[in-house]
Amino acid sequence: MSTRGRPKEPKLAVIETAEWWRNDQITSAKPLLQILCQTIKPTPRFAYSTFVNKESFQSTMDFYANKDGVKYIYISCHGETKHLFGVTGDKIASTIIKNRLTGEGIRPSGIYFGTCEFVDQAAVNILRAENCKVSWVAGYSGSPDWVSSASLDMLFWGKMLTPKPNIKDVVKNLREECAGLIEKLRFRVYFTSYGKIKELVSGDTVNLK
């Protein structure tokens, strides 16, 4: 059967806490991505789901981690150093996320945390896991305000959703275009190479062993 004319599967899957899309609140990433995607040619698609508690987060992660076409997962919610939070106050540790990004059938190559403080510990836990299929983890190690972080999020996805992105080139371009914003928000991108984790913004490395 011919697939000509069918829309391509979305490369990006967005998982957002349900309270951020309640009554079309402006704090949702969804309308920003809708506008952004219209500026990119060919126009990319993204999948979108919300979660309420730990159980719904896990099932949504499982779905997208095994979905054909999904290369990146963007998680948008409240966070702290060791946990993300659901609407109900459930704590979601990086171990829960790591377990959904390892094993057979995993599709995504990158995961982006649009959250406060969570990325440093989460990146190490995810990227050092055996059979991990993810090659990069991005996000914030500080506590940025929504307007500033949303701006940097869209700059990042505006480059990653192009036809043939390269995460190293994307980080390099962002450093050239908005170094001050990156430093202010403590934006980090961790990448695995030859048994080590490299933080692409600073160039620092962390031994996986």
Side-chain angles (χ1 to χ4, degrees):
M1 183 180 294
S2 173
T3 59
R4 183 178 299 175
R6 292 182 182 177
K8 291 184 178 180
E9 294 288 342
K11 291 199 300 184
L12 173 64
V14 182
I15 305 175
E16 188 171 68
T17 182
E19 65 180 341
W20 287 10
W21 186 235
R22 186 181 301 154
N23 298 322
D24 295 352
Q25 288 188 53
I26 195 170
T27 48
S28 172
K30 184 177 182 180
L32 298 178
L33 285 166
Q34 289 172 328
I35 294 170
L36 174 67
C37 287
Q38 293 302 314
T39 70
I40 302 171
K41 303 300 179 184
T43 303
R45 298 173 63 238
F46 66 93
Y48 179 85
S49 294
T50 61
F51 72 96
V52 175
N53 53 25
K54 181 166 63 176
E55 288 72 24
S56 60
F57 177 84
Q58 290 178 135
S59 61
T60 304
M61 276 289 297
D62 285 339
F63 175 77
Y64 285 132
N66 292 275
K67 182 175 174 56
D68 287 340
V70 171
K71 297 183 67 176
Y72 319 120
I73 295 178
Y74 172 25
I75 298 174
S76 182
C77 64
H78 291 298
E80 62 178 16
T81 304
K82 296 183 178 180
H83 302 96
L84 303 180
F85 293 96
V87 177
T88 58
D90 284 14
K91 291 184 177 181
I92 301 166
S94 58
T95 302
I96 291 174
I97 301 168
K98 176 196 71 176
N99 290 343
R100 274 142 189 87
L101 296 172
T102 56
E104 298 297 326
I106 300 302
R107 309 299 183 187
S109 60
I111 184 166
Y112 189 107
F113 293 106
T115 68
C116 292
E117 301 180 356
F118 188 67
V119 70
D120 294 331
Q121 183 173 341
V124 173
N125 288 344
I126 292 168
L127 295 176
R128 68 157 41 125
E130 292 185 13
N131 300 317
C132 180
K133 303 300 191 296
V134 172
S135 61
W136 61 264
V137 178
Y140 302 95
S141 61
S143 300
D145 66 86
W146 184 82
V147 173
S148 297
S149 62
S151 300
L152 186 52
D153 289 357
M154 293 307 108
L155 288 169
F156 179 90
W157 290 118
K159 300 177 187 301
M160 283 302 299
L161 293 177
T162 54
K164 294 182 178 181
N166 179 289
I167 187 64
K168 293 181 179 180
D169 292 339
V170 167
V171 174
K172 179 182 178 181
N173 290 339
L174 286 174
R175 289 179 63 188
E176 293 172 351
E177 295 174 6
C178 52
L181 185 60
I182 287 174
E183 181 177 357
K184 174 185 176 182
L185 302 182
R186 293 168 61 188
F187 179 67
R188 303 287 185 264
V189 182
Y190 292 91
F191 177 81
T192 53
S193 178
Y194 300 104
K196 292 185 177 180
I197 300 173
K198 183 174 184 178
E199 202 289 292
L200 296 179
V201 176
S202 65
D204 295 338
T205 59
V206 180
N207 197 321
L208 281 168
K209 301 177 182 178

